[in-house]
mmCIF file of all heavy atoms in Angstrom:
data_model
loop_
_atom_site.group_PDB
_atom_site.id
_atom_site.type_symbol
_atom_site.label_atom_id
_atom_site.label_comp_id
_atom_site.label_asym_id
_atom_site.label_seq_id
_atom_site.Cartn_x
_atom_site.Cartn_y
_atom_site.Cartn_z
ATOM 1 N N VAL X 86 5.135 10.972 1.910
ATOM 2 C CA VAL X 86 4.590 9.625 2.103
ATOM 3 C C VAL X 86 4.332 9.347 3.577
ATOM 4 O O VAL X 86 3.338 8.721 3.956
ATOM 5 C CB VAL X 86 5.561 8.576 1.520
ATOM 6 C CG1 VAL X 86 5.102 7.171 1.877
ATOM 7 C CG2 VAL X 86 5.655 8.735 0.015
ATOM 8 N N GLU X 87 5.223 9.849 4.416
ATOM 9 C CA GLU X 87 5.089 9.598 5.849
ATOM 10 C C GLU X 87 4.239 10.659 6.546
ATOM 11 O O GLU X 87 4.228 10.757 7.778
ATOM 12 C CB GLU X 87 6.482 9.533 6.478
ATOM 13 C CG GLU X 87 7.305 8.363 5.954
ATOM 14 C CD GLU X 87 8.712 8.353 6.523
ATOM 15 O OE1 GLU X 87 9.065 9.306 7.238
ATOM 16 O OE2 GLU X 87 9.431 7.375 6.265
ATOM 17 N N ASN X 88 3.556 11.481 5.718
ATOM 18 C CA ASN X 88 2.649 12.505 6.248
ATOM 19 C C ASN X 88 3.357 13.529 7.132
ATOM 20 O O ASN X 88 2.768 14.091 8.054
ATOM 21 C CB ASN X 88 1.499 11.865 7.045
ATOM 22 C CG ASN X 88 0.577 11.064 6.145
ATOM 23 O OD1 ASN X 88 0.280 11.476 5.035
ATOM 24 N ND2 ASN X 88 0.152 9.915 6.625
ATOM 25 N N GLU X 89 4.636 13.748 6.874
ATOM 26 C CA GLU X 89 5.367 14.759 7.625
ATOM 27 C C GLU X 89 5.351 16.058 6.816
ATOM 28 O O GLU X 89 6.359 16.512 6.284
ATOM 29 C CB GLU X 89 6.803 14.294 7.881
ATOM 30 C CG GLU X 89 6.859 13.031 8.733
ATOM 31 C CD GLU X 89 8.290 12.545 8.928
ATOM 32 O OE1 GLU X 89 9.214 13.257 8.500
ATOM 33 O OE2 GLU X 89 8.469 11.468 9.502
ATOM 34 N N PHE X 90 4.180 16.659 6.723
ATOM 35 C CA PHE X 90 3.996 17.788 5.823
ATOM 36 C C PHE X 90 4.812 19.003 6.247
ATOM 37 O O PHE X 90 5.269 19.773 5.419
ATOM 38 C CB PHE X 90 2.517 18.149 5.730
ATOM 39 C CG PHE X 90 1.701 17.079 5.065
ATOM 40 C CD1 PHE X 90 0.885 16.242 5.809
ATOM 41 C CD2 PHE X 90 1.786 16.885 3.696
ATOM 42 C CE1 PHE X 90 0.147 15.250 5.189
ATOM 43 C CE2 PHE X 90 1.044 15.892 3.075
ATOM 44 C CZ PHE X 90 0.225 15.076 3.824
ATOM 45 N N ASP X 91 4.970 19.195 7.548
ATOM 46 C CA ASP X 91 5.761 20.335 8.007
ATOM 47 C C ASP X 91 7.197 20.222 7.527
ATOM 48 O O ASP X 91 7.810 21.183 7.068
ATOM 49 C CB ASP X 91 5.725 20.437 9.536
ATOM 50 C CG ASP X 91 4.340 20.813 10.034
ATOM 51 O OD1 ASP X 91 3.586 21.403 9.239
ATOM 52 O OD2 ASP X 91 4.031 20.517 11.201
ATOM 53 N N LYS X 92 7.768 19.023 7.626
ATOM 54 C CA LYS X 92 9.135 18.818 7.175
ATOM 55 C C LYS X 92 9.253 18.932 5.664
ATOM 56 O O LYS X 92 10.260 19.384 5.139
ATOM 57 C CB LYS X 92 9.642 17.447 7.630
ATOM 58 C CG LYS X 92 9.869 17.336 9.127
ATOM 59 C CD LYS X 92 10.464 15.983 9.469
ATOM 60 C CE LYS X 92 10.708 15.854 10.968
ATOM 61 N NZ LYS X 92 11.296 14.536 11.320
ATOM 62 N N SER X 93 8.210 18.509 4.955
ATOM 63 C CA SER X 93 8.282 18.558 3.495
ATOM 64 C C SER X 93 8.409 19.990 3.009
ATOM 65 O O SER X 93 9.049 20.259 2.003
ATOM 66 C CB SER X 93 7.044 17.902 2.877
ATOM 67 O OG SER X 93 5.882 18.668 3.134
ATOM 68 N N ASN X 94 7.786 20.922 3.712
ATOM 69 C CA ASN X 94 7.919 22.317 3.321
ATOM 70 C C ASN X 94 9.343 22.804 3.506
ATOM 71 O O ASN X 94 9.878 23.561 2.700
ATOM 72 C CB ASN X 94 6.965 23.192 4.153
ATOM 73 C CG ASN X 94 5.519 22.961 3.768
ATOM 74 O OD1 ASN X 94 5.236 22.626 2.630
ATOM 75 N ND2 ASN X 94 4.617 23.136 4.720
ATOM 76 N N ILE X 95 9.971 22.367 4.594
ATOM 77 C CA ILE X 95 11.347 22.782 4.867
ATOM 78 C C ILE X 95 12.301 22.172 3.854
ATOM 79 O O ILE X 95 13.258 22.806 3.405
ATOM 80 C CB ILE X 95 11.759 22.358 6.296
ATOM 81 C CG1 ILE X 95 10.879 23.076 7.325
ATOM 82 C CG2 ILE X 95 13.228 22.642 6.548
ATOM 83 C CD1 ILE X 95 11.097 22.618 8.745
ATOM 84 N N GLN X 96 12.051 20.933 3.443
ATOM 85 C CA GLN X 96 12.987 20.212 2.592
ATOM 86 C C GLN X 96 12.618 20.264 1.120
ATOM 87 O O GLN X 96 13.088 19.463 0.328
ATOM 88 C CB GLN X 96 13.061 18.754 3.065
ATOM 89 C CG GLN X 96 13.600 18.622 4.479
ATOM 90 C CD GLN X 96 13.622 17.183 4.953
ATOM 91 O OE1 GLN X 96 13.317 16.267 4.203
ATOM 92 N NE2 GLN X 96 13.993 16.982 6.198
ATOM 93 N N HIS X 97 11.759 21.204 0.760
ATOM 94 C CA HIS X 97 11.387 21.333 -0.649
ATOM 95 C C HIS X 97 12.638 21.557 -1.488
ATOM 96 O O HIS X 97 13.485 22.371 -1.143
ATOM 97 C CB HIS X 97 10.419 22.507 -0.819
ATOM 98 C CG HIS X 97 9.762 22.510 -2.164
ATOM 99 N ND1 HIS X 97 10.415 22.916 -3.301
ATOM 100 C CD2 HIS X 97 8.515 22.157 -2.551
ATOM 101 C CE1 HIS X 97 9.596 22.814 -4.337
ATOM 102 N NE2 HIS X 97 8.441 22.349 -3.914
ATOM 103 N N PRO X 98 12.801 20.834 -2.591
ATOM 104 C CA PRO X 98 14.020 20.957 -3.389
ATOM 105 C C PRO X 98 14.249 22.382 -3.872
ATOM 106 O O PRO X 98 13.321 23.113 -4.181
ATOM 107 C CB PRO X 98 13.753 20.022 -4.580
ATOM 108 C CG PRO X 98 12.735 19.066 -4.081
ATOM 109 C CD PRO X 98 11.881 19.834 -3.130
ATOM 110 N N SER X 99 15.521 22.760 -3.910
ATOM 111 C CA SER X 99 15.907 24.090 -4.397
ATOM 112 C C SER X 99 16.499 23.984 -5.788
ATOM 113 O O SER X 99 17.112 22.982 -6.140
ATOM 114 C CB SER X 99 16.947 24.720 -3.457
ATOM 115 O OG SER X 99 16.420 24.856 -2.155
ATOM 116 N N ILE X 100 16.314 25.021 -6.581
ATOM 117 C CA ILE X 100 16.901 25.071 -7.922
ATOM 118 C C ILE X 100 17.909 26.201 -7.953
ATOM 119 O O ILE X 100 17.582 27.339 -7.673
ATOM 120 C CB ILE X 100 15.826 25.321 -9.002
ATOM 121 C CG1 ILE X 100 14.749 24.235 -8.951
ATOM 122 C CG2 ILE X 100 16.454 25.354 -10.390
ATOM 123 C CD1 ILE X 100 13.603 24.487 -9.896
ATOM 124 N N TRP X 101 19.131 25.893 -8.310
ATOM 125 C CA TRP X 101 20.181 26.914 -8.390
ATOM 126 C C TRP X 101 20.446 27.236 -9.850
ATOM 127 O O TRP X 101 20.450 26.373 -10.702
ATOM 128 C CB TRP X 101 21.464 26.407 -7.740
ATOM 129 C CG TRP X 101 21.260 25.922 -6.349
ATOM 130 C CD1 TRP X 101 21.108 24.636 -5.941
ATOM 131 C CD2 TRP X 101 21.148 26.718 -5.170
ATOM 132 N NE1 TRP X 101 20.918 24.586 -4.586
ATOM 133 C CE2 TRP X 101 20.943 25.841 -4.095
ATOM 134 C CE3 TRP X 101 21.223 28.099 -4.932
ATOM 135 C CZ2 TRP X 101 20.807 26.296 -2.790
ATOM 136 C CZ3 TRP X 101 21.078 28.549 -3.627
ATOM 137 C CH2 TRP X 101 20.878 27.646 -2.572
ATOM 138 N N TYR X 102 20.689 28.483 -10.133
ATOM 139 C CA TYR X 102 21.015 28.885 -11.501
ATOM 140 C C TYR X 102 22.413 28.381 -11.863
ATOM 141 O O TYR X 102 23.340 28.486 -11.087
ATOM 142 C CB TYR X 102 20.985 30.405 -11.629
ATOM 143 C CG TYR X 102 19.672 31.037 -11.253
ATOM 144 C CD1 TYR X 102 19.613 32.352 -10.816
ATOM 145 C CD2 TYR X 102 18.476 30.327 -11.334
ATOM 146 C CE1 TYR X 102 18.413 32.950 -10.473
ATOM 147 C CE2 TYR X 102 17.278 30.899 -10.990
ATOM 148 C CZ TYR X 102 17.245 32.207 -10.552
ATOM 149 O OH TYR X 102 16.050 32.791 -10.211
ATOM 150 N N ARG X 103 22.553 27.845 -13.052
ATOM 151 C CA ARG X 103 23.838 27.283 -13.475
ATOM 152 C C ARG X 103 24.567 28.281 -14.380
ATOM 153 O O ARG X 103 24.067 28.652 -15.438
ATOM 154 C CB ARG X 103 23.624 25.961 -14.224
ATOM 155 C CG ARG X 103 24.928 25.289 -14.627
ATOM 156 C CD ARG X 103 24.648 24.019 -15.418
ATOM 157 N NE ARG X 103 24.053 22.987 -14.574
ATOM 158 C CZ ARG X 103 24.749 22.155 -13.815
ATOM 159 N NH1 ARG X 103 26.069 22.252 -13.770
ATOM 160 N NH2 ARG X 103 24.144 21.231 -13.108
ATOM 161 N N ASP X 104 25.753 28.702 -13.949
ATOM 162 C CA ASP X 104 26.560 29.656 -14.706
ATOM 163 C C ASP X 104 27.106 28.988 -15.967
ATOM 164 O O ASP X 104 27.462 27.816 -15.958
ATOM 165 C CB ASP X 104 27.717 30.147 -13.837
ATOM 166 C CG ASP X 104 28.365 31.407 -14.387
ATOM 167 O OD1 ASP X 104 27.894 31.905 -15.426
ATOM 168 O OD2 ASP X 104 29.335 31.883 -13.786
ATOM 169 N N SER X 105 27.172 29.760 -17.055
ATOM 170 C CA SER X 105 27.636 29.227 -18.332
ATOM 171 C C SER X 105 28.424 30.289 -19.082
ATOM 172 O O SER X 105 28.208 31.488 -18.899
ATOM 173 C CB SER X 105 26.434 28.772 -19.176
ATOM 174 O OG SER X 105 26.848 28.458 -20.501
ATOM 175 N N ASP X 106 29.361 29.852 -19.927
ATOM 176 C CA ASP X 106 30.120 30.756 -20.796
ATOM 177 C C ASP X 106 29.449 30.932 -22.155
ATOM 178 O O ASP X 106 29.983 31.615 -23.023
ATOM 179 C CB ASP X 106 31.548 30.214 -21.021
ATOM 180 C CG ASP X 106 32.369 30.253 -19.742
ATOM 181 O OD1 ASP X 106 32.130 31.165 -18.926
ATOM 182 O OD2 ASP X 106 33.240 29.395 -19.567
ATOM 183 N N ASP X 107 28.303 30.330 -22.338
ATOM 184 C CA ASP X 107 27.665 30.303 -23.649
ATOM 185 C C ASP X 107 26.951 31.621 -23.953
ATOM 186 O O ASP X 107 25.831 31.854 -23.496
ATOM 187 C CB ASP X 107 26.661 29.139 -23.706
ATOM 188 C CG ASP X 107 25.953 29.067 -25.046
ATOM 189 O OD1 ASP X 107 26.557 29.478 -26.047
ATOM 190 O OD2 ASP X 107 24.795 28.609 -25.080
ATOM 191 N N LEU X 108 27.608 32.483 -24.711
ATOM 192 C CA LEU X 108 27.001 33.736 -25.152
ATOM 193 C C LEU X 108 26.486 33.577 -26.575
ATOM 194 O O LEU X 108 27.151 32.969 -27.418
ATOM 195 C CB LEU X 108 28.016 34.881 -25.108
ATOM 196 C CG LEU X 108 28.544 35.307 -23.740
ATOM 197 C CD1 LEU X 108 29.521 36.470 -23.919
ATOM 198 C CD2 LEU X 108 27.420 35.704 -22.797
ATOM 199 N N GLU X 109 25.342 34.145 -26.858
ATOM 200 C CA GLU X 109 24.790 34.167 -28.209
ATOM 201 C C GLU X 109 24.623 35.612 -28.682
ATOM 202 O O GLU X 109 25.304 36.055 -29.588
ATOM 203 C CB GLU X 109 23.446 33.421 -28.236
ATOM 204 C CG GLU X 109 23.580 31.931 -27.921
ATOM 205 C CD GLU X 109 22.235 31.227 -27.936
ATOM 206 O OE1 GLU X 109 21.222 31.877 -28.282
ATOM 207 O OE2 GLU X 109 22.186 30.030 -27.589
#
Side-chain angles (χ1 to χ4, degrees):
V86 172
E87 296 177 355
N88 293 320
E89 297 177 6
F90 293 104
D91 292 337
K92 290 184 180 180
S93 68
N94 290 331
I95 297 174
Q96 297 178 5
H97 193 284
S99 300
I100 302 175
W101 306 99
Y102 302 155
R103 183 183 291 276
D104 196 1
S105 170
D106 292 328
D107 179 29
L108 294 181
E109 295 179 5

